[in-house]
């Protein structure tokens, strides 16, 4: 009576997918939860999960429920902060507003490079994945996902609470063990 069971999301916990990552102990729990959420919402579908936050992460799970890995690149704010930190004269600029392709000030040039560059990166990654997996479901999540929603070509799903859905799925699988 009064006992509480704690479930900790860490390497070795039961997951709703097969983890084929070569170093599973280094895989971030946010990425694990996002993949679990994708598997819950899009079972039996190959999915590319794009989480836009501090970093932009790409996670691929095939239609058999096997997670293979993906990629990590700097997020929008990190790109802008790096330009400021690692140069002597570029100002600190925060993402926001609409970036123009051709910047006409240092600030708008930096926004163009960071924001339009990230947009081109994400579209390019999606294009490469869909060459190999034409039936791929593209799922965006994370705080910066809305930035890409209207900019990316093709059919995408924006699921802001994907990580929470995945955490619930993992908890449900492990609570009775």
């Amino acid at each position: 009576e009064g006992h509480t069971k704690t479930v900790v999301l860490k390497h070795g916990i039961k997951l709703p997918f097969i983890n084929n990552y070569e170093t599973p102990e280094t895989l971030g729990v946010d990425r694990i939860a996002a993949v679990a959420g994708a598997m819950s919402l899009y079972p039996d579908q190959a999915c590319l999960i794009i989480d836009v936050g501090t970093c932009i992460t790409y996670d691929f799970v095939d239609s058999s429920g096997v997670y293979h890995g993906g990629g990590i690149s700097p997020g929008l704010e990190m790109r802008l902060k790096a330009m400021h930190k690692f140069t002597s004269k570029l100002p600190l600029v925060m993402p926001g507003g609409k970036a123009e392709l051709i910047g006409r000030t240092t600030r708008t040039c930096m926004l163009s490079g960071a924001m339009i560059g990230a947009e081109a990166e994400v579209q390019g990654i999606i294009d490469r994945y869909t060459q190999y997996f034409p039936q791929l479901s593209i799922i965006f999540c994370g705080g910066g996902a809305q930035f890409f929603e209207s900019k990316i070509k093709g059919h995408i799903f924006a699921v802001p609470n994907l990580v929470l859905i995945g955490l619930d799925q993992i908890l449900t699988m492990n609570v009775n063990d």
Side-chain angles (χ1 to χ4, degrees), residues 56-171:
I56 301 171
T57 60
Y58 304 91
D59 289 291
F60 174 71
V61 60
D62 68 26
S63 59
S64 300
V66 178
Y67 173 74
H68 295 275
I72 304 172
S73 70
L76 298 173
E77 193 173 313
M78 187 183 291
R79 290 166 196 252
L80 290 161
K81 283 182 176 179
M83 284 188 258
H84 170 68
K85 181 170 175 59
F86 296 110
T87 65
S88 62
K89 296 196 177 171
L90 292 179
L92 180 59
V93 174
M94 298 309 288
K98 183 178 184 308
E100 299 295 331
L101 178 62
I102 301 171
R104 296 175 49 85
T105 67
T106 299
R107 179 184 178 282
T108 58
C109 284
M110 291 172 68
L111 287 171
S112 174
M115 296 172 74
I116 294 175
E119 179 186 330
E121 171 195 310
V122 169
Q123 186 65 63
I125 297 289
I126 291 170
D127 292 346
R128 286 192 180 194
Y129 271 90
T130 53
Q131 284 176 352
Y132 297 102
F133 309 98
Q135 301 303 312
L136 189 65
S137 293
I138 311 295
I139 307 162
F140 277 89
C141 63
Q146 72 280 355
F147 170 75
F148 293 99
E149 251 184 296
S150 62
K151 295 171 177 56
I152 298 300
K153 294 185 217 105
H155 191 65
I156 64 165
F157 303 99
V159 185
N161 57 346
L162 185 67
V163 169
L164 294 176
I165 292 167
L167 287 172
D168 182 62
Q169 185 78 5
I170 293 166
L171 177 63

Side-chain angles (χ1 to χ4, degrees), residues 15-20 27 31-33 35-36 39 61 65-67 170 173:
L15 298 171
F17 59 88
I18 298 163
N19 190 347
N20 201 26
L27 184 59
R31 295 175 71 191
I32 292 170
V35 171
M39 296 308 307
V61 60
V66 178
Y67 173 74
I170 293 166
M173 283 187 78

